[in-house]
Amino acid sequence: MSASDITMMRIMARWQGGAAERLKEAALTLFQSHGYDGTTVAEIAAAAGVTERTFFRHFADKREVLFFDQNAFEGVFLAALPASGAPMELVTAVLAGAASLFPDERRPWSRARQAVIVGNVALQERELLKMSLLAVALTRALTERGIDPVDAALAAEAGVAVFRTAFAAWIADGEERPFPEIQTEILNRLRALL
Amino acid sequence: MSASDITMMRIMARWQGGAAERLKEAALTLFQSHGYDGTTVAEIAAAAGVTERTFFRHFADKREVLFFDQNAFEGVFLAALPASGAPMELVTAVLAGAASLFPDERRPWSRARQAVIVGNVALQERELLKMSLLAVALTRALTERGIDPVDAALAAEAGVAVFRTAFAAWIADGEERPFPEIQTEILNRLRALL
DNA sequence: AGCGTCATGTCAGTCACTGACATCATGGGT
DNA sequence: ACCCATGATGTCAGTGACTGACATGACGCT
């Protein structure tokens, strides 16, 4: 492939839209083949037919390209929140609503993505941050419904812990049960523990 | 102060030991006065009388200088762990042992440090990672005591959530109760919620 | 005095990330 | 058909975190 061919591809790609989508796909593919640290942002951008600068216009940093989709979680979580109820009733409702995020078809993709994340501490940090932001948003929503702030924080943290544990089990090797079933079981286990 | 004076100070500081300690103090001071982002590693190193390269020999990265002390938490946590018992009994014992980490004299220092952390997302990420590592270590210790892995993970996450919430309350403006008292109350609150 | 060890200094280099400015396709108004 | 505002992109120079390779100085031991 000549340099002029590459130039032509760039020009074609430049205005065809969906740059963010192409960047996300290119990033995951490259992370799988060369590892997260072994992949530069410049390489991801080149694979998507854009420049490095454009990458950073779509994503705040290199890690964010793997977590962009998760930004929608907060909306889905809060959408399932009833107007009133006891703390753990509200959290249970939220978890039921969140289950729709993980249909069985999505499992292979989630497994691939998670394999990249567990291989890099910086990515785990970002995942923890996203979960924490979820807990903070949930805490605030519970507080707005008249729940004591400390109770709200504890209920939200417990809910997110159940969610995270259920997700980990859902993508574990050999696991085939659907997400909602797993999550319900884990919530019951937590109840039994305390 | 002349350039040769600075050189002399460098030489004097070079072999007086405690470089890591000086770096930690210099870092916190500079973070408080200029902010985390507004402080470069080179500035921290200069304030401690060493070079930037030496900073990175003591701390894996810029953030770690604020979290180095927390690495001892894991040992303190696990040291208080009984040889056997029900999951939440074990976690309760661990929390009681952890209380010794936060005597009242330490509160002002903790408040200063936490003020820096809440002002920067990257530092919050690192704090979440440290808490997560704590939960992982606790999960493993519980599993080694014959507890089912999922139960162990849930109990550990719950324990760390209580610890974190208690710490946040202990640091809060106007709070004067000692850490153990706060933590016990929060643990009881979590029990009441579920 | 000679020697090994360990903490440190020096230097060059990579890469993530940013600000400033230029460029180009698109859509709407004239 | 022309023009212009807009938004997405390219280009370029720069900063700062972090690393590898190698040199040097202080200390303890013999």
Short mmCIF file of all heavy atoms in Angstrom, two decimals, chain C residues 1-5 9 11 15 19 21 27-29, chain D residues 2-4 10 12 16 20 22 26-30:
data_model
loop_
_atom_site.label_atom_id
_atom_site.label_comp_id
_atom_site.label_asym_id
_atom_site.label_seq_id
_atom_site.Cartn_x
_atom_site.Cartn_y
_atom_site.Cartn_z
P DA C 1 45.27 5.93 52.24
OP1 DA C 1 46.32 6.93 51.95
OP2 DA C 1 43.86 6.41 52.35
"O5'" DA C 1 45.30 4.81 51.13
"C5'" DA C 1 46.52 4.10 50.88
"C4'" DA C 1 46.19 2.72 50.38
"O4'" DA C 1 45.49 1.98 51.44
"C3'" DA C 1 45.27 2.70 49.17
"O3'" DA C 1 45.71 1.70 48.28
"C2'" DA C 1 43.89 2.40 49.76
"C1'" DA C 1 44.24 1.52 50.95
N9 DA C 1 43.27 1.63 52.06
C8 DA C 1 42.97 2.76 52.77
N7 DA C 1 42.08 2.56 53.71
C5 DA C 1 41.77 1.21 53.60
C6 DA C 1 40.88 0.38 54.32
N6 DA C 1 40.13 0.82 55.33
N1 DA C 1 40.82 -0.92 53.95
C2 DA C 1 41.59 -1.34 52.95
N3 DA C 1 42.46 -0.66 52.20
C4 DA C 1 42.50 0.62 52.58
P DG C 2 45.10 1.65 46.84
OP1 DG C 2 46.17 1.17 45.91
OP2 DG C 2 44.39 2.91 46.57
"O5'" DG C 2 44.04 0.48 47.02
"C5'" DG C 2 44.49 -0.81 47.39
"C4'" DG C 2 43.31 -1.77 47.39
"O4'" DG C 2 42.50 -1.51 48.56
"C3'" DG C 2 42.37 -1.60 46.18
"O3'" DG C 2 42.02 -2.89 45.70
"C2'" DG C 2 41.18 -0.84 46.74
"C1'" DG C 2 41.14 -1.34 48.18
N9 DG C 2 40.54 -0.40 49.13
C8 DG C 2 40.79 0.95 49.25
N7 DG C 2 40.10 1.53 50.21
C5 DG C 2 39.36 0.49 50.76
C6 DG C 2 38.44 0.49 51.84
O6 DG C 2 38.08 1.46 52.53
N1 DG C 2 37.91 -0.78 52.07
C2 DG C 2 38.24 -1.89 51.36
N2 DG C 2 37.63 -3.02 51.73
N3 DG C 2 39.11 -1.93 50.36
C4 DG C 2 39.62 -0.70 50.11
P DC C 3 41.10 -3.02 44.45
OP1 DC C 3 41.60 -4.17 43.66
OP2 DC C 3 40.96 -1.69 43.83
"O5'" DC C 3 39.70 -3.43 45.10
"C5'" DC C 3 39.66 -4.37 46.16
"C4'" DC C 3 38.21 -4.65 46.52
"O4'" DC C 3 37.78 -3.74 47.54
"C3'" DC C 3 37.24 -4.46 45.34
"O3'" DC C 3 36.31 -5.51 45.30
"C2'" DC C 3 36.60 -3.11 45.63
"C1'" DC C 3 36.60 -3.09 47.16
N1 DC C 3 36.63 -1.71 47.72
C2 DC C 3 35.86 -1.41 48.85
O2 DC C 3 35.17 -2.29 49.37
N3 DC C 3 35.89 -0.15 49.35
C4 DC C 3 36.65 0.79 48.78
N4 DC C 3 36.67 2.01 49.31
C5 DC C 3 37.44 0.51 47.62
C6 DC C 3 37.40 -0.74 47.13
P DG C 4 35.38 -5.73 44.06
OP1 DG C 4 35.69 -7.04 43.46
OP2 DG C 4 35.43 -4.52 43.22
"O5'" DG C 4 33.93 -5.84 44.73
"C5'" DG C 4 33.78 -6.61 45.93
"C4'" DG C 4 32.52 -6.17 46.64
"O4'" DG C 4 32.72 -4.87 47.23
"C3'" DG C 4 31.29 -6.03 45.73
"O3'" DG C 4 30.16 -6.54 46.41
"C2'" DG C 4 31.20 -4.53 45.48
"C1'" DG C 4 31.72 -3.97 46.80
N9 DG C 4 32.34 -2.65 46.69
C8 DG C 4 33.23 -2.22 45.72
N7 DG C 4 33.63 -0.99 45.90
C5 DG C 4 32.96 -0.57 47.05
C6 DG C 4 32.99 0.68 47.72
O6 DG C 4 33.64 1.69 47.43
N1 DG C 4 32.15 0.68 48.84
C2 DG C 4 31.38 -0.39 49.25
N2 DG C 4 30.65 -0.21 50.33
N3 DG C 4 31.35 -1.56 48.63
C4 DG C 4 32.15 -1.58 47.54
P DT C 5 28.77 -6.80 45.69
OP1 DT C 5 28.35 -8.18 45.99
OP2 DT C 5 28.90 -6.34 44.30
"O5'" DT C 5 27.79 -5.80 46.47
"C5'" DT C 5 28.03 -5.53 47.85
"C4'" DT C 5 27.23 -4.31 48.26
"O4'" DT C 5 28.04 -3.12 48.13
"C3'" DT C 5 25.97 -4.08 47.41
"O3'" DT C 5 24.89 -3.79 48.29
"C2'" DT C 5 26.35 -2.88 46.55
"C1'" DT C 5 27.26 -2.12 47.50
N1 DT C 5 28.21 -1.16 46.85
C2 DT C 5 28.41 0.07 47.43
O2 DT C 5 27.85 0.42 48.45
N3 DT C 5 29.30 0.88 46.77
C4 DT C 5 29.99 0.59 45.61
O4 DT C 5 30.76 1.40 45.10
C5 DT C 5 29.72 -0.72 45.04
C7 DT C 5 30.42 -1.14 43.77
C6 DT C 5 28.86 -1.53 45.69
P DG C 9 20.00 12.98 43.82
OP1 DG C 9 20.07 14.33 44.42
OP2 DG C 9 18.71 12.45 43.33
"O5'" DG C 9 21.06 12.89 42.65
"C5'" DG C 9 22.43 13.21 42.91
"C4'" DG C 9 23.22 13.31 41.61
"O4'" DG C 9 23.35 11.98 41.03
"C3'" DG C 9 22.58 14.18 40.53
"O3'" DG C 9 23.60 14.94 39.87
"C2'" DG C 9 21.93 13.18 39.58
"C1'" DG C 9 22.85 11.97 39.71
N9 DG C 9 22.18 10.69 39.50
C8 DG C 9 21.14 10.18 40.25
N7 DG C 9 20.75 9.01 39.85
C5 DG C 9 21.57 8.71 38.78
C6 DG C 9 21.61 7.56 37.95
O6 DG C 9 20.91 6.55 38.00
N1 DG C 9 22.61 7.67 36.97
C2 DG C 9 23.45 8.75 36.84
N2 DG C 9 24.34 8.69 35.84
N3 DG C 9 23.42 9.82 37.61
C4 DG C 9 22.46 9.73 38.56
P DC C 11 24.02 16.10 32.43
OP1 DC C 11 25.28 16.68 31.93
OP2 DC C 11 22.95 16.97 32.96
"O5'" DC C 11 23.40 15.17 31.29
"C5'" DC C 11 24.03 13.93 30.99
"C4'" DC C 11 23.17 13.13 30.03
"O4'" DC C 11 22.29 12.25 30.78
"C3'" DC C 11 22.25 13.98 29.14
"O3'" DC C 11 22.40 13.55 27.81
"C2'" DC C 11 20.85 13.72 29.69
"C1'" DC C 11 21.01 12.28 30.19
N1 DC C 11 20.01 11.86 31.21
C2 DC C 11 19.48 10.56 31.18
O2 DC C 11 19.86 9.79 30.30
N3 DC C 11 18.57 10.20 32.11
C4 DC C 11 18.18 11.07 33.05
N4 DC C 11 17.29 10.66 33.95
C5 DC C 11 18.71 12.40 33.10
C6 DC C 11 19.62 12.75 32.18
P DC C 15 6.63 5.32 22.06
OP1 DC C 15 6.39 3.88 21.97
OP2 DC C 15 6.79 6.15 20.85
"O5'" DC C 15 5.46 5.96 22.93
"C5'" DC C 15 5.32 5.57 24.29
"C4'" DC C 15 4.43 6.55 25.01
"O4'" DC C 15 5.19 7.73 25.36
"C3'" DC C 15 3.22 7.04 24.18
"O3'" DC C 15 2.07 6.93 24.98
"C2'" DC C 15 3.58 8.49 23.88
"C1'" DC C 15 4.37 8.85 25.14
N1 DC C 15 5.22 10.05 25.00
C2 DC C 15 5.31 10.97 26.06
O2 DC C 15 4.67 10.74 27.09
N3 DC C 15 6.07 12.07 25.92
C4 DC C 15 6.74 12.28 24.79
N4 DC C 15 7.48 13.38 24.71
C5 DC C 15 6.67 11.37 23.69
C6 DC C 15 5.90 10.27 23.84
P DG C 19 -5.96 22.95 27.30
OP1 DG C 19 -6.28 23.57 28.60
OP2 DG C 19 -7.03 22.29 26.52
"O5'" DG C 19 -5.28 24.05 26.38
"C5'" DG C 19 -4.00 24.55 26.73
"C4'" DG C 19 -3.47 25.43 25.61
"O4'" DG C 19 -2.92 24.60 24.56
"C3'" DG C 19 -4.52 26.34 24.96
"O3'" DG C 19 -3.94 27.62 24.74
"C2'" DG C 19 -4.85 25.61 23.66
"C1'" DG C 19 -3.53 24.91 23.31
N9 DG C 19 -3.68 23.65 22.59
C8 DG C 19 -4.61 22.67 22.80
N7 DG C 19 -4.48 21.64 22.00
C5 DG C 19 -3.39 21.97 21.20
C6 DG C 19 -2.78 21.25 20.15
O6 DG C 19 -3.08 20.15 19.70
N1 DG C 19 -1.69 21.95 19.61
C2 DG C 19 -1.27 23.18 20.04
N2 DG C 19 -0.22 23.69 19.41
N3 DG C 19 -1.83 23.87 21.02
C4 DG C 19 -2.89 23.21 21.55
P DC C 21 -3.81 31.71 18.37
OP1 DC C 21 -2.98 32.92 18.36
OP2 DC C 21 -5.20 31.76 18.87
"O5'" DC C 21 -3.83 31.11 16.90
"C5'" DC C 21 -2.61 30.54 16.38
"C4'" DC C 21 -2.93 29.69 15.17
"O4'" DC C 21 -3.48 28.42 15.59
"C3'" DC C 21 -3.95 30.30 14.19
"O3'" DC C 21 -3.35 30.37 12.91
"C2'" DC C 21 -5.13 29.35 14.25
"C1'" DC C 21 -4.43 28.04 14.62
N1 DC C 21 -5.33 27.02 15.21
C2 DC C 21 -5.26 25.70 14.72
O2 DC C 21 -4.46 25.43 13.82
N3 DC C 21 -6.10 24.76 15.25
C4 DC C 21 -6.94 25.10 16.22
N4 DC C 21 -7.73 24.13 16.70
C5 DC C 21 -7.02 26.43 16.71
C6 DC C 21 -6.21 27.35 16.20
P DG C 27 -25.49 18.15 4.52
OP1 DG C 27 -26.17 16.97 5.08
OP2 DG C 27 -25.39 18.33 3.06
"O5'" DG C 27 -26.17 19.47 5.13
"C5'" DG C 27 -25.94 19.80 6.49
"C4'" DG C 27 -26.49 21.18 6.76
"O4'" DG C 27 -25.53 22.17 6.30
"C3'" DG C 27 -27.79 21.49 6.03
"O3'" DG C 27 -28.68 22.20 6.89
"C2'" DG C 27 -27.36 22.33 4.83
"C1'" DG C 27 -26.15 23.06 5.40
N9 DG C 27 -25.17 23.42 4.39
C8 DG C 27 -24.78 22.67 3.30
N7 DG C 27 -23.89 23.25 2.55
C5 DG C 27 -23.67 24.47 3.18
C6 DG C 27 -22.80 25.55 2.83
O6 DG C 27 -22.03 25.62 1.87
N1 DG C 27 -22.90 26.60 3.74
C2 DG C 27 -23.71 26.62 4.84
N2 DG C 27 -23.66 27.71 5.60
N3 DG C 27 -24.53 25.62 5.17
C4 DG C 27 -24.45 24.59 4.30
P DG C 28 -30.17 22.52 6.37
OP1 DG C 28 -31.09 22.01 7.41
OP2 DG C 28 -30.35 22.11 4.97
"O5'" DG C 28 -30.17 24.11 6.44
"C5'" DG C 28 -29.64 24.76 7.58
"C4'" DG C 28 -29.47 26.23 7.30
"O4'" DG C 28 -28.36 26.41 6.38
"C3'" DG C 28 -30.69 26.89 6.65
"O3'" DG C 28 -30.94 28.15 7.25
"C2'" DG C 28 -30.28 27.03 5.18
"C1'" DG C 28 -28.77 27.21 5.29
N9 DG C 28 -28.05 26.76 4.11
C8 DG C 28 -28.21 25.58 3.43
N7 DG C 28 -27.42 25.45 2.41
C5 DG C 28 -26.68 26.63 2.41
C6 DG C 28 -25.66 27.07 1.52
O6 DG C 28 -25.18 26.48 0.55
N1 DG C 28 -25.19 28.33 1.88
C2 DG C 28 -25.63 29.07 2.95
N2 DG C 28 -25.06 30.25 3.14
N3 DG C 28 -26.59 28.67 3.78
C4 DG C 28 -27.06 27.44 3.44
P DG C 29 -32.32 28.92 6.88
OP1 DG C 29 -32.95 29.30 8.15
OP2 DG C 29 -33.08 28.15 5.87
"O5'" DG C 29 -31.74 30.23 6.18
"C5'" DG C 29 -30.78 31.01 6.89
"C4'" DG C 29 -30.08 31.95 5.91
"O4'" DG C 29 -29.35 31.18 4.93
"C3'" DG C 29 -31.05 32.85 5.13
"O3'" DG C 29 -30.55 34.18 5.14
"C2'" DG C 29 -31.03 32.26 3.72
"C1'" DG C 29 -29.61 31.70 3.64
N9 DG C 29 -29.45 30.62 2.68
C8 DG C 29 -30.15 29.43 2.62
N7 DG C 29 -29.79 28.66 1.63
C5 DG C 29 -28.78 29.38 0.99
C6 DG C 29 -27.99 29.05 -0.14
O6 DG C 29 -28.04 28.03 -0.83
N1 DG C 29 -27.09 30.06 -0.45
C2 DG C 29 -26.95 31.23 0.25
N2 DG C 29 -26.03 32.09 -0.18
N3 DG C 29 -27.67 31.57 1.32
C4 DG C 29 -28.56 30.58 1.63
P DC D 2 -21.48 29.91 -9.14
OP1 DC D 2 -20.66 30.71 -10.08
OP2 DC D 2 -21.10 28.54 -8.77
"O5'" DC D 2 -21.67 30.77 -7.81
"C5'" DC D 2 -22.08 32.12 -7.89
"C4'" DC D 2 -22.25 32.68 -6.49
"O4'" DC D 2 -23.33 31.98 -5.84
"C3'" DC D 2 -21.02 32.52 -5.59
"O3'" DC D 2 -20.62 33.79 -5.11
"C2'" DC D 2 -21.48 31.56 -4.49
"C1'" DC D 2 -22.99 31.77 -4.48
N1 DC D 2 -23.76 30.59 -4.01
C2 DC D 2 -24.60 30.71 -2.90
O2 DC D 2 -24.68 31.80 -2.32
N3 DC D 2 -25.30 29.62 -2.47
C4 DC D 2 -25.19 28.45 -3.12
N4 DC D 2 -25.91 27.42 -2.69
C5 DC D 2 -24.35 28.31 -4.26
C6 DC D 2 -23.66 29.39 -4.67
P DC D 3 -19.34 33.96 -4.22
OP1 DC D 3 -18.77 35.29 -4.49
OP2 DC D 3 -18.52 32.74 -4.37
"O5'" DC D 3 -19.97 33.98 -2.76
"C5'" DC D 3 -21.07 34.84 -2.49
"C4'" DC D 3 -21.41 34.75 -1.01
"O4'" DC D 3 -22.21 33.56 -0.79
"C3'" DC D 3 -20.18 34.61 -0.10
"O3'" DC D 3 -20.36 35.44 1.04
"C2'" DC D 3 -20.16 33.12 0.23
"C1'" DC D 3 -21.64 32.78 0.23
N1 DC D 3 -21.93 31.35 -0.09
C2 DC D 3 -22.90 30.67 0.66
O2 DC D 3 -23.49 31.26 1.57
N3 DC D 3 -23.16 29.37 0.37
C4 DC D 3 -22.50 28.76 -0.63
N4 DC D 3 -22.80 27.47 -0.88
C5 DC D 3 -21.52 29.44 -1.41
C6 DC D 3 -21.26 30.72 -1.10
P DC D 4 -19.17 35.74 1.99
OP1 DC D 4 -18.96 37.21 2.04
OP2 DC D 4 -18.04 34.85 1.61
"O5'" DC D 4 -19.74 35.26 3.39
"C5'" DC D 4 -21.16 35.33 3.62
"C4'" DC D 4 -21.53 34.36 4.72
"O4'" DC D 4 -21.78 33.05 4.15
"C3'" DC D 4 -20.44 34.16 5.78
"O3'" DC D 4 -21.04 34.10 7.06
"C2'" DC D 4 -19.83 32.82 5.38
"C1'" DC D 4 -21.06 32.09 4.88
N1 DC D 4 -20.77 30.96 3.96
C2 DC D 4 -21.51 29.78 4.07
O2 DC D 4 -22.40 29.69 4.93
N3 DC D 4 -21.23 28.74 3.24
C4 DC D 4 -20.26 28.87 2.33
N4 DC D 4 -20.03 27.82 1.52
C5 DC D 4 -19.50 30.05 2.20
C6 DC D 4 -19.78 31.07 3.03
P DG D 10 -8.12 13.95 11.17
OP1 DG D 10 -7.79 12.84 10.27
OP2 DG D 10 -7.97 13.80 12.63
"O5'" DG D 10 -7.27 15.23 10.72
"C5'" DG D 10 -7.36 15.68 9.37
"C4'" DG D 10 -6.29 16.74 9.10
"O4'" DG D 10 -6.62 17.95 9.83
"C3'" DG D 10 -4.87 16.35 9.55
"O3'" DG D 10 -3.93 16.76 8.56
"C2'" DG D 10 -4.69 17.10 10.87
"C1'" DG D 10 -5.55 18.33 10.66
N9 DG D 10 -6.14 18.84 11.90
C8 DG D 10 -6.99 18.18 12.75
N7 DG D 10 -7.36 18.89 13.78
C5 DG D 10 -6.72 20.10 13.60
C6 DG D 10 -6.74 21.27 14.41
O6 DG D 10 -7.34 21.48 15.45
N1 DG D 10 -5.93 22.28 13.86
C2 DG D 10 -5.21 22.17 12.69
N2 DG D 10 -4.50 23.24 12.34
N3 DG D 10 -5.19 21.09 11.94
C4 DG D 10 -5.96 20.10 12.45
P DC D 12 2.72 20.06 10.02
OP1 DC D 12 3.41 20.71 8.89
OP2 DC D 12 2.88 18.63 10.28
"O5'" DC D 12 3.10 20.86 11.35
"C5'" DC D 12 2.57 22.16 11.56
"C4'" DC D 12 2.88 22.63 12.97
"O4'" DC D 12 1.78 22.28 13.84
"C3'" DC D 12 4.13 22.00 13.58
"O3'" DC D 12 4.94 23.02 14.11
"C2'" DC D 12 3.58 21.06 14.64
"C1'" DC D 12 2.32 21.81 15.06
N1 DC D 12 1.30 20.98 15.74
C2 DC D 12 0.57 21.52 16.81
O2 DC D 12 0.80 22.68 17.15
N3 DC D 12 -0.35 20.76 17.43
C4 DC D 12 -0.55 19.50 17.02
N4 DC D 12 -1.48 18.78 17.67
C5 DC D 12 0.17 18.94 15.94
C6 DC D 12 1.08 19.70 15.33
P DG D 16 5.38 21.90 32.79
OP1 DG D 16 4.62 22.80 33.67
OP2 DG D 16 6.84 22.05 32.62
"O5'" DG D 16 5.07 20.41 33.23
"C5'" DG D 16 3.78 19.89 33.08
"C4'" DG D 16 3.82 18.39 33.12
"O4'" DG D 16 4.20 17.89 31.81
"C3'" DG D 16 4.85 17.82 34.10
"O3'" DG D 16 4.24 16.76 34.80
"C2'" DG D 16 5.96 17.32 33.20
"C1'" DG D 16 5.17 16.87 31.99
N9 DG D 16 5.95 16.74 30.77
C8 DG D 16 6.95 17.58 30.32
N7 DG D 16 7.48 17.19 29.20
C5 DG D 16 6.80 16.03 28.89
C6 DG D 16 6.93 15.16 27.78
O6 DG D 16 7.71 15.25 26.83
N1 DG D 16 6.03 14.09 27.85
C2 DG D 16 5.12 13.90 28.86
N2 DG D 16 4.35 12.82 28.76
N3 DG D 16 4.99 14.70 29.89
C4 DG D 16 5.85 15.74 29.84
P DG D 20 12.14 0.58 32.34
OP1 DG D 20 11.49 -0.67 31.87
OP2 DG D 20 12.43 0.76 33.77
"O5'" DG D 20 13.51 0.76 31.53
"C5'" DG D 20 13.46 1.03 30.15
"C4'" DG D 20 14.86 1.33 29.63
"O4'" DG D 20 15.20 2.70 29.96
"C3'" DG D 20 15.95 0.45 30.23
"O3'" DG D 20 16.87 0.10 29.20
"C2'" DG D 20 16.59 1.35 31.28
"C1'" DG D 20 16.42 2.75 30.69
N9 DG D 20 16.27 3.82 31.66
C8 DG D 20 15.56 3.78 32.85
N7 DG D 20 15.60 4.90 33.51
C5 DG D 20 16.38 5.74 32.72
C6 DG D 20 16.77 7.09 32.92
O6 DG D 20 16.50 7.83 33.86
N1 DG D 20 17.57 7.57 31.88
C2 DG D 20 17.92 6.82 30.78
N2 DG D 20 18.68 7.43 29.87
N3 DG D 20 17.57 5.57 30.57
C4 DG D 20 16.80 5.08 31.58
P DC D 22 24.40 0.69 29.08
OP1 DC D 22 25.09 0.42 27.80
OP2 DC D 22 24.09 -0.39 30.02
"O5'" DC D 22 25.23 1.80 29.86
"C5'" DC D 22 25.26 3.14 29.34
"C4'" DC D 22 25.74 4.10 30.40
"O4'" DC D 22 24.68 4.35 31.35
"C3'" DC D 22 26.94 3.61 31.22
"O3'" DC D 22 27.99 4.56 31.10
"C2'" DC D 22 26.40 3.50 32.64
"C1'" DC D 22 25.29 4.54 32.61
N1 DC D 22 24.26 4.36 33.67
C2 DC D 22 23.88 5.48 34.43
O2 DC D 22 24.40 6.57 34.19
N3 DC D 22 22.94 5.33 35.41
C4 DC D 22 22.41 4.12 35.63
N4 DC D 22 21.50 4.03 36.60
C5 DC D 22 22.79 2.98 34.87
C6 DC D 22 23.71 3.14 33.90
P DA D 26 30.79 12.39 48.44
OP1 DA D 26 30.21 13.65 48.90
OP2 DA D 26 32.24 12.29 48.17
"O5'" DA D 26 30.38 11.24 49.47
"C5'" DA D 26 29.10 11.29 50.07
"C4'" DA D 26 28.75 9.92 50.64
"O4'" DA D 26 28.96 8.92 49.62
"C3'" DA D 26 29.62 9.49 51.84
"O3'" DA D 26 28.77 9.18 52.92
"C2'" DA D 26 30.38 8.26 51.33
"C1'" DA D 26 29.47 7.76 50.22
N9 DA D 26 30.16 7.00 49.18
C8 DA D 26 31.19 7.42 48.38
N7 DA D 26 31.59 6.51 47.51
C5 DA D 26 30.77 5.42 47.76
C6 DA D 26 30.69 4.15 47.18
N6 DA D 26 31.48 3.74 46.18
N1 DA D 26 29.76 3.30 47.67
C2 DA D 26 28.97 3.71 48.67
N3 DA D 26 28.95 4.89 49.29
C4 DA D 26 29.88 5.71 48.78
P DC D 27 29.32 9.19 54.42
OP1 DC D 27 28.40 9.99 55.24
OP2 DC D 27 30.76 9.51 54.36
"O5'" DC D 27 29.16 7.66 54.84
"C5'" DC D 27 27.98 6.95 54.51
"C4'" DC D 27 28.28 5.47 54.41
"O4'" DC D 27 28.94 5.20 53.16
"C3'" DC D 27 29.22 4.95 55.50
"O3'" DC D 27 28.50 4.17 56.42
"C2'" DC D 27 30.28 4.14 54.74
"C1'" DC D 27 29.72 4.04 53.33
N1 DC D 27 30.77 4.04 52.28
C2 DC D 27 30.92 2.91 51.47
O2 DC D 27 30.18 1.94 51.65
N3 DC D 27 31.89 2.90 50.50
C4 DC D 27 32.67 3.97 50.34
N4 DC D 27 33.59 3.93 49.38
C5 DC D 27 32.53 5.13 51.15
C6 DC D 27 31.57 5.13 52.10
P DG D 28 29.28 3.68 57.78
OP1 DG D 28 28.31 3.70 58.89
OP2 DG D 28 30.58 4.39 57.90
"O5'" DG D 28 29.59 2.16 57.38
"C5'" DG D 28 28.53 1.34 56.89
"C4'" DG D 28 29.08 -0.02 56.49
"O4'" DG D 28 29.89 0.13 55.30
"C3'" DG D 28 29.98 -0.67 57.54
"O3'" DG D 28 29.72 -2.06 57.59
"C2'" DG D 28 31.38 -0.37 57.03
"C1'" DG D 28 31.19 -0.38 55.52
N9 DG D 28 32.13 0.48 54.80
C8 DG D 28 32.50 1.77 55.13
N7 DG D 28 33.36 2.29 54.30
C5 DG D 28 33.57 1.29 53.35
C6 DG D 28 34.41 1.28 52.20
O6 DG D 28 35.15 2.18 51.77
N1 DG D 28 34.32 0.06 51.53
C2 DG D 28 33.54 -0.99 51.90
N2 DG D 28 33.59 -2.07 51.13
N3 DG D 28 32.75 -1.01 52.97
C4 DG D 28 32.82 0.17 53.65
P DC D 29 30.37 -2.93 58.79
OP1 DC D 29 29.30 -3.71 59.40
OP2 DC D 29 31.24 -2.06 59.63
"O5'" DC D 29 31.33 -3.91 57.98
"C5'" DC D 29 30.89 -4.46 56.74
"C4'" DC D 29 32.07 -5.06 55.99
"O4'" DC D 29 32.77 -4.03 55.27
"C3'" DC D 29 33.11 -5.74 56.91
"O3'" DC D 29 33.34 -7.07 56.46
"C2'" DC D 29 34.35 -4.86 56.77
"C1'" DC D 29 34.16 -4.22 55.40
N1 DC D 29 34.81 -2.89 55.28
C2 DC D 29 35.67 -2.63 54.20
O2 DC D 29 35.86 -3.52 53.36
N3 DC D 29 36.26 -1.40 54.10
C4 DC D 29 36.03 -0.48 55.03
N4 DC D 29 36.62 0.71 54.88
C5 DC D 29 35.16 -0.72 56.15
C6 DC D 29 34.59 -1.92 56.23
P DT D 30 34.19 -8.07 57.44
OP1 DT D 30 33.55 -9.39 57.33
OP2 DT D 30 34.39 -7.45 58.77
"O5'" DT D 30 35.60 -8.13 56.72
"C5'" DT D 30 35.65 -8.34 55.31
"C4'" DT D 30 37.04 -8.01 54.79
"O4'" DT D 30 37.21 -6.56 54.75
"C3'" DT D 30 38.18 -8.56 55.63
"O3'" DT D 30 38.99 -9.41 54.84
"C2'" DT D 30 38.98 -7.34 56.08
"C1'" DT D 30 38.57 -6.30 55.03
N1 DT D 30 38.66 -4.88 55.50
C2 DT D 30 39.40 -3.97 54.78
O2 DT D 30 39.98 -4.24 53.76
N3 DT D 30 39.40 -2.71 55.31
C4 DT D 30 38.77 -2.26 56.46
O4 DT D 30 38.87 -1.10 56.83
C5 DT D 30 38.03 -3.27 57.17
C7 DT D 30 37.33 -2.91 58.44
C6 DT D 30 38.00 -4.52 56.67
#
